[in-house]
């Protein structure tokens, strides 16, 4: 098969980790006989420097032309401490999600046998953890209007808005995923306080009879924050709104032992984007030390979700597991043994695939 992939390396360690994913994707192409074309485009602070816009139209066109987008990270410390900056790299990410219609962010948490001891949780709590969040990504308080300040600048407001339609399309993805997994769906909300959450709960309750094989649980977000740490094995598929999902998926991503390991997919009806959960990690940028595995595993998700190629995805996760077992790892997980460079890990993966 021939496939066109848009590469958006972005900021910080983005370019380094994307470069390793490209090596692995090329190796997959060779092994399985696919022609893979790449087209690169700037996003985030890198795009602001070049064009003044964190998500330029030309970059959007590259994404629209592609069958899938592989994205690194966005963010630059020079904007973080300047709340008055007019243009921010993160706006590029939000624009990209909105314009590409990426309404569902799929963030799995699973464990790696050889790394399980790195988890901040006790072994018996984390062994066998395997759940996935479906975070709504183009609605809620991230996009709701009105937002802003009063004239004096002494009062600020954001608006949380959800339509039934937005909730339904995200919830259906969750139900369908649960059907293919352990058939448990948890709707995470704050229905005891928020009107939007009550609409979430009501909508999910209405859909549930269409999926009689799926058991549905409703839990408040604060309780989920606690139970994720106490007993993460209790979960299978979780669905939630944009802001709750942002917070809980960061919490979830460290359960497995390192944030450098967890991939994600952002999907809509037309477009699909794949990215590591970790951010731009500016302290490590350009040092060739960042862990490329989350990005490499995001490429595995790309083969599975964008191209329905399970064997290709499996080949990538197998070689990642092999690299972990053999200690071909970056310094964040090396623990006293030899730490390999980002680029060395990428080379090793591509050679051993
Ligand atoms: C994420 C990030 C973004 C978000 C930021 C960078 C805008 O934290 O992808 O989770 O809040 O969605
Ligand atoms: Mn986040």
């Amino acid at each position: 098969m021939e496939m066109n992939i848009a590469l958006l390396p972005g900021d910080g360690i983005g370019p380094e980790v994307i470069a390793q994913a490209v090596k692995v994707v090329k190796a997959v192409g060779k092994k399985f006989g696919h022609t893979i074309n790449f087209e690169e485009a700037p996003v985030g602070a890198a795009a602001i420097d070049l064009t003044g816009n964190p998500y330029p139209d030309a970059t959007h066109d590259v994404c629209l032309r592609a069958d899938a987008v592989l994205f690194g990270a966005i963010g630059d410390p020079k904007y973080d401490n300047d709340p008055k900056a007019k243009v921010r790299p993160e706006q590029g990410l939000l624009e990209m999600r909105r314009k590409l219609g990426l309404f569902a962010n799929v963030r799995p948490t699973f464990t790696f046998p050889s790394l399980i001891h790195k988890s901040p949780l006790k072994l018996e709590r984390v062994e066998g953890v395997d759940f996935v969040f479906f975070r709504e990504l183009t609605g809620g308080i991230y996009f709701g209007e009105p937002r802003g300040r009063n004239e004096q600048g002494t009062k600020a407001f954001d608006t949380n808005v959800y339509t039934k339609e937005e909730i339904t399309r995200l919830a259906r993805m969750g139900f369908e995923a649960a059907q293919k997994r352990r058939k448990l769906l948890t709707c995470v909300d704050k229905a005891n306080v928020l009107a939007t959450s009550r609409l979430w709960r009501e909508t999910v309750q209405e859909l549930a009879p269409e999926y009689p094989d799926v058991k549905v649980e409703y839990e408040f977000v604060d309780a989920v924050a606690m139970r994720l740490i106490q007993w993460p094995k209790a979960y299978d598929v979780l669905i939630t709104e944009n802001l709750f999902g942002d917070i809980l998926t960061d919490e979830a991503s460290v359960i497995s032992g390192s944030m450098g390991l967890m991939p994600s997919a952002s999907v809509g009806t037309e477009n699909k984007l794949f990215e590591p959960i970790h951010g731009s990690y500016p302290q490590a940028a350009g040092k060739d030390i960042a862990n490329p595995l989350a990005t490499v595993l995001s490429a595995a998700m790309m083969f599975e979700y964008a191209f329905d190629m399970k064997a290709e995805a499996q080949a990538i996760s197998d070689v990642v597991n092999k690299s972990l077992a053999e200690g071909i790892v970056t310094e964040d997980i090396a623990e006293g043994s030899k730490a390999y460079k980002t680029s060395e890990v990428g080379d090793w993966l591509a050679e051993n695939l």
Side-chain angles (χ1 to χ4, degrees):
M1 189 173 145
E2 178 164 358
M3 43 201 128
N4 299 312
I5 298 173
L7 290 179
L8 272 52
D11 305 325
I13 59 170
E16 295 159 64
V17 292
I18 285 286
Q20 312 319 313
V22 168
K23 291 176 191 170
V24 173
V25 169
K26 282 185 175 158
V28 169
K30 215 164 145 200
K31 185 179 165 98
F32 290 87
H34 303 304
T35 308
I36 305 176
N37 310 311
F38 297 97
E39 196 173 359
E40 196 173 317
V43 69
I48 299 178
D49 291 344
L50 283 167
T51 69
N53 179 346
Y55 186 57
D57 288 344
T59 296
H60 184 52
D61 290 340
V62 170
C63 294
L64 290 179
R65 274 202 292 277
D67 302 310
V69 182
L70 203 50
F71 166 60
I74 262 182
D76 188 310
K78 77 180 173 212
Y79 298 93
D80 290 345
N81 298 322
D82 180 10
K84 295 223 161 95
K86 287 244 150 48
V87 200
R88 313 183 60 79
E90 289 78 8
Q91 288 164 351
L93 186 56
L94 299 180
E95 270 301 284
M96 181 165 80
R97 289 172 180 168
R98 189 181 66 77
K99 284 179 134 176
L100 294 173
L102 308 172
F103 65 81
N105 186 213
V106 190
R107 294 188 167 186
T109 291
F110 47 86
T111 56
F112 299 87
S114 50
L115 282 185
I116 206 153
H117 61 284
K118 296 228 17 153
S119 171
L121 304 188
K122 293 200 181 89
L123 191 64
E124 69 267 23
R125 295 188 185 213
V126 76
E127 242 169 1
V129 162
D130 180 11
F131 60 79
V132 56
F133 267 94
F134 283 73
R135 165 190 174 192
E136 201 290 327
L137 202 58
T138 50
I141 201 161
Y142 272 60
F143 293 91
E145 297 286 347
R147 54 173 54 225
R149 299 245 185 139
N150 67 351
E151 255 169 49
Q152 299 91 318
T154 51
K155 186 169 152 186
F157 44 91
D158 298 285
T159 309
N160 194 11
V161 195
Y162 269 108
T163 64
K164 207 159 182 145
E165 195 199 335
E166 287 173 311
I167 300 165
T168 301
R169 62 186 183 181
L170 190 276
R172 283 198 188 283
M173 286 185 80
F175 273 111
E176 282 159 24
Q179 284 183 318
K180 293 190 200 131
R181 295 173 47 103
R182 300 196 308 279
K183 302 186 170 44
L184 173 65
L185 183 80
T186 308
C187 172
V188 183
D189 62 35
K190 189 72 188 171
N192 50 346
V193 178
L194 302 177
T196 39
S197 279
R198 285 194 282 276
L199 185 62
W200 270 79
R201 206 170 265 221
E202 184 187 306
T203 306
V204 174
Q205 279 167 350
E206 283 168 14
L207 289 171
E210 290 183 43
Y211 305 88
D213 51 334
V214 177
K215 179 170 183 249
V216 189
E217 285 177 350
Y218 302 88
E219 279 184 40
F220 298 137
V221 59
D222 47 353
V224 174
M226 183 178 72
R227 281 231 294 156
L228 267 181
I229 296 300
Q230 276 183 330
W231 201 245
K233 280 185 244 189
Y235 297 107
D236 179 18
V237 178
L238 304 97
I239 53 172
T240 194
E241 66 153 87
N242 204 341
L243 182 62
F244 298 161
D246 177 48
I247 298 165
L248 292 179
T249 56
D250 265 25
E251 182 187 350
S253 73
V254 294
I255 290 176
S256 67
S258 168
M259 211 186 184
L261 294 170
M262 287 295 129
S264 82
S266 300
V267 301
T269 336
E270 306 289 329
N271 302 293
K272 295 184 169 66
L273 177 144
F274 301 85
E275 61 171 305
I277 284 187
H278 62 68
S280 57
Y281 191 17
Q283 301 85 340
K287 295 191 183 149
D288 205 17
I289 57 170
N291 188 340
L293 293 185
T295 315
V296 169
L297 290 167
S298 299
M301 281 186 97
M302 174 182 79
F303 280 106
E304 183 164 355
Y305 287 81
F307 305 121
D308 202 22
M309 295 179 173
K310 298 214 167 54
E312 286 81 342
Q314 192 60 49
I316 298 179
S317 60
D318 287 348
V319 78
V320 165
N321 270 312
K322 197 167 165 222
S323 74
L324 291 171
E326 295 190 18
I328 317 297
V329 295
T330 42
E331 62 174 37
D332 53 313
I333 42 183
E335 288 188 324
S337 59
K338 177 172 162 59
Y340 288 77
K341 296 279 176 200
T342 309
S343 54
E344 291 172 333
V345 173
D347 290 338
W348 192 93
L349 294 171
E351 273 159 33
N352 286 272
L353 198 122

